[in-house]
Amino acid sequence: LIAYALDGKASKAEAIGRDITEATPAQGEDPFVILGKTLGLPPSTKPDERIAALKDLTTDDQPAAVAAYATFFMAKAYKDSNRNAEALETFLTVTGVYPTGGIILNAAAELNAADILSGLTRREEALALVNSASRNAPGTVLADEAKRRLDSLK
């Protein structure tokens, strides 16, 4: 669902969302379906509107995985809007508040945070985050990327 939403395949994401909702009618709309719809907002959506929609999915009543993904994509929206201070804080929230988001999401958040820190000439902190991404996501494309970045930061 999330992959289709991010890939701009709204009809496939909606079909999966419909299947999930039909399979669990008593609970109402599944939080992952809502996340998929939010991630599938058209590119013309203003950054502040996208951020607000994602922020609604980071409340305590949401599953931790939904909140983790919403926080990550909220950080990306901040970064895309050149709001680097907010982006950095939000990327670090992914691993600090929602570590159960998974190794891929956590490593991606750490690498994005490291990019911002590098731009702020905070090399040691960036290096620590890249090391963490490399160590905590073994065997993944992100670990390989982290190793490449380690070489360039040294």
Side-chain angles (χ1 to χ4, degrees):
L1 177 89
I2 292 170
Y4 283 135
L6 290 173
D7 211 21
K9 296 179 180 170
S11 61
K12 289 189 179 208
E14 288 171 13
I16 292 172
R18 221 176 3 263
D19 291 344
I20 292 170
T21 301
E22 288 172 5
T24 57
Q27 75 177 34
E29 194 166 30
D30 186 89
F32 272 101
V33 173
I34 297 168
L35 176 62
K37 286 179 180 178
T38 304
L39 294 175
L41 288 171
S44 60
T45 305
K46 293 180 181 174
D48 285 340
E49 291 174 14
R50 185 177 305 277
I51 290 166
L54 288 163
K55 191 173 193 126
D56 288 344
L57 295 170
T58 64
T59 59
D60 289 341
D61 62 330
Q62 297 294 332
V66 169
Y69 275 96
T71 301
F72 177 82
F73 288 105
M74 188 169 56
K76 294 277 288 175
Y78 281 132
K79 188 176 179 186
D80 293 345
S81 298
N82 294 317
R83 294 164 63 179
N84 287 338
E86 292 159 297
L88 176 60
E89 181 180 343
T90 309
F91 279 126
L92 295 174
T93 299
V94 173
T95 57
V97 177
Y98 307 111
T100 57
I103 62 172
I104 299 297
L105 192 66
N106 290 341
E110 288 173 331
L111 290 176
N112 276 281
D115 284 345
I116 295 168
L117 288 168
S118 291
L120 298 172
T121 62
R122 292 168 57 180
R123 186 183 164 285
E124 292 302 316
E125 293 165 283
L127 189 58
L129 286 170
V130 173
N131 268 318
S132 177
S134 174
R135 184 179 55 252
N136 294 324
T140 67
V141 172
L142 289 170
D144 295 340
E145 175 62 22
K147 287 175 186 165
R148 281 191 291 278
R149 290 184 189 194
L150 280 173
D151 292 338
S152 70
L153 283 171
K154 287 184 180 179

